[in-house]
Amino acid sequence: MRKADRLFQIIQILRRSSRPVTSSELAGELEVARRTVYRDIAHLMAQLVPIEGEAGFGYVLDRRYDMPPLMLTPDEIEAVVLGVQMVARLNDAAMRNAAGDVMAKITSVMPQDLLPYIDQPAVGIKPDDVVGGDATRDTRPLRLAIREGRKLELDYRAADGTITRRIVWPVLLGYDNTHSLLIAWCQSKQAFRHFRTERILKVEILNEAIGMSRSKLRQQWQQWRDAEMRKSRGAQ
């Protein structure tokens, strides 16, 4: 690993950690000797990068330190490319367009020497077509309601053709190759439910906020999901 790449990676490791990072941990992740880490830390400090700490205790980076966000490593670029390839297979036009826009923005500001990692990445997914099935509805209102913590009113067609109107507290929009699911707390059922987005006939974002914080609602859903998985394993 080049020294410049190593210095950049040290900053990245310190940025993502919520506690002091020891020289041994840095050396292990970078696959270098600890003395190399000491020299690199000293070099960064000399360049006025706000790192605090010492050998034996660990190092922390001042949270106020800012670094251009698109100084990406080859591994990070290829992770983005792989993610965009996966999103491109979703049966969701809005998300596919958004992924293409992201890739175009990254490409437009990427240094010339890093463009081959986008044009000819070392990673890829199986080049299958998007799996068929009913096209999903426009998911932008669903995602907006999730972000803003607002209730939704849905007209929903069940698998047997029955149409009902529900008021739900949206938690998450989940995807696989064939469809997407709105995961939400259903007021009428007083339970978490999964709604196939292609069966949502009509959606309205209500002015009413959900009855708790987004994090609390998601935590309750995760607890419900874990309980359901335990029951499923116990039934096998």
Side-chain angles (χ1 to χ4, degrees):
M1 182 184 292
R2 296 180 307 166
K3 181 177 180 179
D5 293 336
R6 199 169 62 242
L7 296 175
F8 176 81
Q9 191 60 27
I10 287 173
I11 293 175
Q12 290 294 89
I13 295 170
L14 296 179
R15 287 176 82 181
R16 71 173 185 247
S17 179
S18 59
R19 58 173 181 78
V21 182
T22 66
S23 57
S24 295
E25 291 172 322
L26 288 168
E29 181 161 344
L30 297 170
E31 298 181 343
V32 297
R34 289 173 63 182
R35 62 178 178 274
T36 301
V37 171
Y38 296 145
R39 288 198 297 266
D40 288 346
I41 291 288
H43 178 85
L44 289 168
M45 289 180 169
Q47 298 299 313
L48 303 182
V49 176
I51 296 174
E52 298 180 358
E54 58 187 24
F57 170 72
Y59 301 97
V60 295
L61 180 68
D62 191 320
R63 294 297 178 189
R64 294 169 293 180
Y65 179 67
D66 189 30
M67 186 170 55
L70 284 175
M71 289 179 60
L72 302 180
T73 67
D75 283 346
E76 290 167 342
I77 294 170
E78 290 181 339
V80 172
V81 170
L82 189 61
V84 168
Q85 290 177 358
M86 291 177 174
V87 172
R89 293 179 60 179
L90 296 178
N91 200 10
D92 186 328
M95 290 300 289
R96 291 199 303 269
N97 291 339
D101 291 344
V102 168
M103 202 72 257
K105 289 177 181 179
I106 291 175
T107 302
S108 69
V109 297
M110 189 66 64
Q112 198 69 26
D113 62 321
L114 293 179
L115 288 178
Y117 294 106
I118 295 177
D119 297 332
Q120 301 171 3
V123 297
I125 61 175
K126 186 178 178 181
D128 292 338
D129 293 332
V130 176
V131 178
D134 294 335
T136 188
R137 68 169 295 110
D138 185 350
T139 61
R140 286 174 293 186
L142 306 178
R143 290 184 278 114
L144 177 62
I146 293 170
R147 289 193 293 265
E148 295 186 350
R150 294 163 63 186
K151 296 182 182 182
L152 289 169
E153 185 175 74
L154 309 177
D155 285 354
Y156 187 71
R157 186 186 68 245
D160 63 2
T162 304
I163 297 175
T164 57
R165 178 162 294 179
R166 316 279 190 99
I167 294 179
V168 303
W169 303 6
V171 179
L172 184 71
L173 195 61
Y175 292 87
D176 68 13
N177 283 342
T178 59
H179 60 270
S180 56
L181 292 172
L182 174 65
I183 299 164
W185 172 264
C186 180
Q187 284 192 182
S188 62
K189 299 294 185 182
Q190 287 293 290
F192 287 103
R193 290 289 186 267
H194 293 175
F195 300 94
R196 293 274 293 255
T197 55
E198 73 271 14
R199 295 180 184 162
I200 297 175
L201 306 178
K202 181 181 177 183
V203 59
E204 180 182 354
I205 302 177
L206 303 180
N207 290 327
E208 186 179 359
I210 62 177
M212 63 182 68
S213 68
R214 286 180 57 198
S215 60
K216 180 66 174 178
L217 180 62
R218 181 168 292 209
Q219 181 184 43
Q220 291 190 2
W221 165 69
Q222 290 171 337
Q223 292 171 349
W224 171 84
R225 180 196 58 186
D226 293 344
E228 291 295 306
M229 292 177 64
R230 287 194 296 270
K231 286 194 293 185
S232 177
R233 288 195 295 266
Q236 293 176 357

